[in-house]
Amino acid sequence: MTSSGTLRQDALGRVHFIGIGGVGMSAVARIMVARGVPVSGSDAKDLPVMADLAAAGARVAVGYAEANLGDAQTVVAGSAIRADNPELAAAKAAGLPVLHRSEALAATMADDLVVTVAGTHGKSTTTSMIAVLLQGAGMDPSFAIGANVPALGVNAANGTSKVFVAEADESDGSFLNYRPQIAVVTNVEPDHLDHYGTPEAVYESFDRFTALLPADGVLVACADDAGALALARRTRERGNTRVLLYGTSDEADIRLSDGGPGNVAVTTAAGEFPLSLQVPGRHNALNAAAAMAVALELGVAPEQAASALAGFSGASRRFEFKGEGRGVRVYDDYAHHPTEVRAALAAARSVAGGHKVHVLFQPHLFSRTREFAKEFADALNTADTALVLDIYPAREDPIPGVTSELIAGHLGAGGRLVAGGQTAVEALSAAAQPGDIILTAGAGDVTAYGPLIVESLSG
């Protein structure tokens, strides 16, 4: 154990991952294999990443069976694994320690200088930006990200430096398992109320997160977000660690000036440095300012940090270009909270110029739809056309009376419910004119629509 109470990687022995194909689980498994830990794992489906892990030295099985555990000494179970999973049941019966993914990741990072990125939105993108920036500046960090990153080629890697950059997920409180030296908080808003119950519980969990920072650590928080700014002020009052603010606000230590595409700059104590960003939107400019702040803390020269950010081409499913047909460009975004939907549509609007923006939105979770129906509609109403699919249930059972109709009731003239499949594809194809932007948005299987829409437009 470390002094903070975190398990160390060398105490885990042989590690078996149940659900190894998941983007978060495969990230931890990839790093453990690279660091010489004996790794095995299984998943219900044969996913592409499993071949990569097998090639790197992991023992991988498709399908769940008690025999897959082999001689494992520690088990890591994905959040979607059910209690009656035969491998999980066998591990518990054998008295093996069963870790959450975050506990396994914390163990791999125990000897590193840890940079975590938390927040209700923007975690994957900001974590990716930091990793790309540090690589571009000649520092080779380890990283673990909850999304695949085209500019990095992978979602995780074992670097040669002592710096480890990781996305810290607050959705189930598991970000409290990490012990960062530098903690970025992009924003703090009520979300995941299926876990927390109340907005106050969300805020309290972030307070507990920043309380974990050491006296020689630093909280890097967004001054433009009311929740993150309030958190920063409370952390300053607590006095356990240093606080650094970034954003366009006068309070920011790392000051962003955002004059739109091609006119973004960051001002530090060393002067003003222009940023050349490939990704659109104010939210991405803020994420870039956060990455700059981290780089400066790690000793990277500001001009080097600014130029390295030009290498960031986006994270998978974060305003990801899917193709073009008939002069209409199609993008896909993981946006599943009203603030994210609004930001993605603002980015689409900036790319569309004077042309129209059409969105196909799939609500994710019954509980989130119930909590934020009007806010989703308000965000969707910023598009010219807003088509809403049925709710993607994910891990939840239906809640009586909660349907996409709750959102549709607040939509403007350009918004309505739409049936899935070919009906939705044809409706968007018919609405879009040359120069327009189509955006598919949501955390469910709406991502599959992008290529179908491009095909329809090209037909």
Side-chain angles (χ1 to χ4, degrees):
M1 302 286 277
T2 64
S3 58
S4 64
T6 304
L7 270 172
R8 299 177 71 88
Q9 182 176 283
D10 54 13
L12 302 179
R14 295 180 293 276
V15 182
H16 181 77
F17 288 79
I18 309 175
I20 198 167
V23 70
M25 292 281 279
S26 62
V28 183
R30 197 188 287 274
I31 289 164
M32 282 194 180
V33 170
R35 293 188 170 190
V37 176
V39 167
S40 61
S42 58
D43 211 302
K45 297 178 186 169
D46 189 2
L47 298 160
V49 72
M50 290 156 69
D52 292 350
L53 289 167
R59 180 171 58 80
V60 178
V62 178
Y64 296 122
E66 183 178 337
N68 291 339
L69 280 178
D71 56 0
Q73 294 165 294
T74 301
V75 170
V76 185
S79 55
I81 301 303
R82 300 170 65 97
D84 60 358
N85 180 287
E87 296 178 22
L88 183 57
K92 288 181 174 175
L96 294 177
V98 178
L99 304 183
H100 185 276
R101 171 193 170 274
S102 60
E103 294 172 302
L105 180 55
T108 68
M109 300 190 294
D111 294 324
D112 294 307
L113 190 164
V114 176
V115 179
T116 55
V117 180
T120 323
H121 333 288
K123 291 184 292 291
S124 295
T125 299
T126 306
T127 312
S128 307
M129 277 186 176
I130 294 168
V132 169
L133 190 166
L134 295 179
Q135 281 189 347
M139 195 180 288
D140 183 23
S142 298
F143 57 88
I145 305 168
N148 289 309
V149 185
L152 296 166
V154 286
N155 63 329
N158 179 40
T160 54
S161 76
K162 291 299 289 179
V163 175
F164 199 127
V165 185
E167 182 175 339
D169 183 12
E170 86 291 349
S171 66
D172 56 2
S174 62
F175 68 157
L176 300 176
N177 288 321
Y178 304 128
R179 296 296 178 268
Q181 180 77 15
I182 301 173
V184 178
V185 175
T186 54
N187 37 52
V188 182
E189 284 192 85
D191 194 9
H192 308 293
L193 299 183
D194 54 324
H195 172 76
Y196 286 104
T198 65
E200 291 70 30
V202 176
Y203 305 140
E204 186 202 355
S205 74
F206 275 92
D207 280 324
R208 290 169 63 197
F209 178 66
T210 61
L212 295 169
L213 284 160
D216 61 347
V218 61
L219 168 64
V220 177
C222 182
D224 288 26
D225 177 77
L229 181 59
L231 174 69
R233 287 170 176 164
R234 293 194 301 272
T235 306
R236 271 188 177 142
E237 285 170 17
R238 195 191 310 120
N240 65 295
T241 196
R242 198 157 48 87
V243 174
L244 196 65
L245 292 170
Y246 68 91
T248 61
S249 149
D250 290 341
E251 285 193 61
D253 303 287
I254 304 291
R255 187 81 178 275
L256 173 72
S257 56
D258 179 13
N263 193 19
V264 179
V266 163
T267 302
T268 73
E272 183 177 86
F273 302 91
L275 299 182
S276 177
L277 300 178
Q278 295 186 47
V279 285
R282 166 68 60 85
H283 61 302
N284 278 319
L286 284 166
N287 294 337
M292 280 280 290
V294 169
L296 299 181
E297 284 294 314
L298 292 172
V300 177
E303 57 276 4
Q304 192 177 19
S307 64
L309 274 170
F312 180 73
S313 54
S316 177
R317 295 224 57 205
R318 273 63 176 185
F319 207 76
E320 182 180 359
F321 181 63
K322 305 305 287 188
E324 184 174 343
R326 224 173 54 219
V328 178
R329 286 164 291 172
V330 180
Y331 293 85
D332 178 52
D333 199 281
Y334 191 66
H336 56 284
H337 181 282
T339 302
E340 294 169 348
V341 173
R342 190 177 289 277
L345 286 170
R349 186 67 70 190
S350 73
V351 172
H355 296 279
K356 291 185 175 180
V357 172
H358 313 275
V359 61
L360 177 67
F361 176 63
Q362 181 186 50
H364 183 260
L365 297 179
F366 296 101
S367 58
R368 189 181 282 124
T369 304
R370 179 186 61 196
E371 301 291 344
F372 299 117
K374 183 168 188 315
E375 290 85 350
F376 274 125
D378 289 346
L380 291 167
N381 284 334
T382 64
D384 297 285
T385 306
L387 304 183
V388 180
L389 295 164
D390 285 341
I391 297 170
Y392 186 77
R395 57 188 178 270
E396 287 187 333
D397 293 324
I399 298 173
V402 178
T403 70
S404 292
E405 192 68 59
L406 292 180
I407 297 172
H410 299 287
L411 290 174
R416 61 182 171 88
L417 293 181
V418 68
Q422 197 57 29
T423 303
V425 171
E426 288 172 2
L428 283 161
S429 300
Q433 298 299 315
D436 290 359
I437 298 294
I438 292 176
L439 177 71
T440 58
D445 53 17
V446 68
T447 185
Y449 278 86
L452 300 175
I453 294 165
V454 172
E455 188 180 326
S456 172
L457 289 166
S458 306

